[in-house]
Amino acid sequence: FASLSGNMRSNLRRRLKRAKNLRVEIRNNCEGLKDQLYALRESTLHRAAVDFAHFAEVSPDYFPNVLSGMEENSRLLTYWLEDNLVGFSLVVLNDHTMVQNYNGMRYPEGPDNGLFYLDWMTQLRLCMEKGIPIMHSGITTYLIKARLGSQFHRRYLYVRHRYKSINAILKSVVPTVSMETSDPGLIELGDEAPFVNPAQLLESAA
């Protein structure tokens, strides 16, 4: 809280106050919930501002397979409004990092009850309880994540085609394709986007 701006601290308190009616359950399995998890994931995908096509799709068996296959290295964070499941996050973790794998929520119940912020704080508390220093909150919604104190790490994609003529075209086109020029949140952040300096990462690694 102390690291956030005054406006963000006030906003976060308001959002969490709206979440007072939600109940949190942290589980090691999804018994009886497989179909509901898949439906919530599909609901979230259909409302997403960015389409990641097949990279964002999962089968109904994905969630039970991850939870059973990774055992102690996965958790299912579930959020309930009375007896109704309104949201979830599947996270995978080790001693150093926790990664939000997939999530989903019911509309409008999830947004109306501050579910995004409750999920954020639940993940943060889980990291603190387990002494995990890095919480990887995934891609998308960059604007609000920046305001919540996240740092961004650039990723680089290198492309080479076996035909020289096509490779020459790609060489001129690929550099113009960037999340920073297409994602609404990153566009709004502009130069204020909290990207980590690669030179600092190299220094810390050394």
Side-chain angles (χ1 to χ4, degrees):
F1 264 65
S3 67
L4 304 178
S5 68
N7 286 339
M8 192 65 239
R9 288 198 300 269
S10 297
N11 184 38
L12 186 54
R13 289 190 184 97
R14 288 195 301 270
R15 301 283 185 163
L16 291 176
K17 188 174 182 180
R18 290 168 56 182
K20 66 181 184 300
N21 293 323
L22 294 181
R23 173 168 50 88
V24 181
E25 287 185 9
I26 300 179
R27 304 167 54 125
N28 292 318
N29 63 74
C30 61
E31 292 179 8
L33 299 179
K34 183 179 80 169
D35 293 338
Q36 292 187 67
L37 297 177
Y38 181 73
L40 292 177
R41 178 61 188 167
E42 288 292 294
S43 174
T44 299
L45 281 181
H46 292 155
R47 298 179 66 93
V50 180
D51 183 8
F52 289 95
H54 299 298
F55 292 103
E57 296 177 0
V58 295
S59 73
D61 291 325
Y62 178 83
F63 303 107
N65 286 344
V66 169
L67 289 163
S68 62
M70 298 193 71
E71 297 181 346
E72 290 303 312
N73 292 108
S74 63
R75 295 290 186 279
L76 181 66
L77 317 180
T78 60
Y79 304 93
W80 303 79
L81 186 61
E82 296 180 347
D83 293 328
N84 298 314
L85 181 66
V86 297
F88 76 92
S89 279
L90 176 64
V91 299
V92 295
L93 48 92
N94 56 30
D95 292 338
H96 308 290
T97 307
M98 188 179 77
V99 180
Q100 179 178 275
N101 190 257
Y102 285 108
N103 64 356
M105 73 170 65
R106 188 184 307 278
Y107 297 87
E109 292 89 343
D112 288 349
N113 288 276
L115 178 55
F116 176 89
Y117 297 88
L118 178 61
D119 181 46
W120 180 275
M121 295 302 294
T122 302
Q123 292 185 46
L124 186 58
R125 289 185 178 113
L126 184 59
C127 284
M128 294 174 68
E129 289 171 3
K130 293 187 170 294
I132 298 173
I134 298 174
M135 186 177 94
H136 189 304
S137 55
I139 57 177
T140 74
T141 58
Y142 295 106
L143 183 60
I144 187 60
K145 288 175 182 176
R147 292 174 177 170
L148 285 168
S150 290
Q151 292 181 316
F152 299 163
H153 293 256
R154 283 188 168 88
R155 294 293 181 264
Y156 300 90
L157 177 64
Y158 294 87
V159 180
R160 184 176 181 85
H161 199 280
R162 62 179 177 172
Y163 295 121
K164 291 184 178 180
S165 58
I166 297 178
N167 197 56
I169 297 173
L170 290 174
K171 188 175 181 179
S172 62
V173 172
V174 169
T176 67
V177 181
S178 169
M179 286 292 290
E180 294 175 54
T181 59
S182 59
D183 182 86
L186 289 176
I187 292 172
E188 184 171 344
L189 285 167
D191 293 337
E192 300 300 318
F195 282 105
V196 175
N197 187 333
Q200 294 177 342
L201 292 178
L202 291 174
E203 290 176 3
S204 62

